[in-house]
């Protein structure tokens, strides 16, 4: 009888772990109909999970520097495409395209990155 009292909490805990493990915000914060492309300069590159992040600056229509962030997929997926922690370095010139944040902040879901020498850095599994 005593062992049943211990098993019930363990079963409940075991059943709750998969739900927490698969919780993810997805890409709903980004508007797939609002695409932008920038000529940018990398300021930071964060190669980590759950999303790799490129911090960069662009010149706005007034010629002033604006800080932006671009979210990519996980480092695991990018690593299968050849990405490493040093794929992008501060000062690198890139062309970056993606979907703007719905909130209007300077954040985008990155769909494409091209280096200054024209190399297309593969992102998703399909490309």
């Amino acid at each position: 009888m005593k062992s049943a009292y211990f098993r019930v909490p363990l079963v409940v805990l075991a059943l709750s772990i998969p739900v927490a493990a698969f919780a993810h915000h997805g890409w709903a914060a980004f508007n797939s109909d609002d695409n932008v492309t920038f000529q940018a300069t990398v300021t930071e590159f964060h190669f980590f999970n759950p999303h790799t992040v490129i911090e960069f600056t662009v010149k706005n229509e007034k010629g002033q520097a604006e800080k932006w962030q671009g979210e990519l997929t996980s480092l695991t997926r990018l690593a299968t495409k050849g990405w490493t922690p040093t794929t992008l370095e501060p000062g690198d010139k890139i062309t970056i395209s993606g979907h703007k944040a719905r909130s209007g902040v300077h954040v985008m879901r990155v769909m494409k990155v091209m280096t200054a020498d024209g190399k297309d850095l593969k992102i998703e599994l399909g490309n």
Side-chain angles (χ1 to χ4, degrees), residues 45 47 83-89:
F45 179 55
F47 194 63
W83 289 64
T84 70
T86 60
T87 295
L88 295 173
E89 300 280 348

Side-chain angles (χ1 to χ4, degrees), residues 1-30:
M1 183 79 167
K2 278 187 172 180
S3 64
Y5 288 110
F6 292 108
R7 278 187 264 172
V8 170
L10 290 176
V11 169
V12 170
L13 178 64
L15 291 174
S16 67
I17 289 172
V19 173
F22 289 107
H24 184 267
H25 67 80
W27 298 109
F30 302 95

Side-chain angles (χ1 to χ4, degrees), residues 64-85:
Q64 301 166 324
E66 289 182 346
K67 294 180 181 180
W68 278 75
Q69 279 190 348
E71 278 192 31
L72 295 98
T73 190
S74 70
L75 74 87
T76 308
R77 284 188 172 181
L78 290 175
T80 65
K81 294 292 188 180
W83 289 64
T84 70

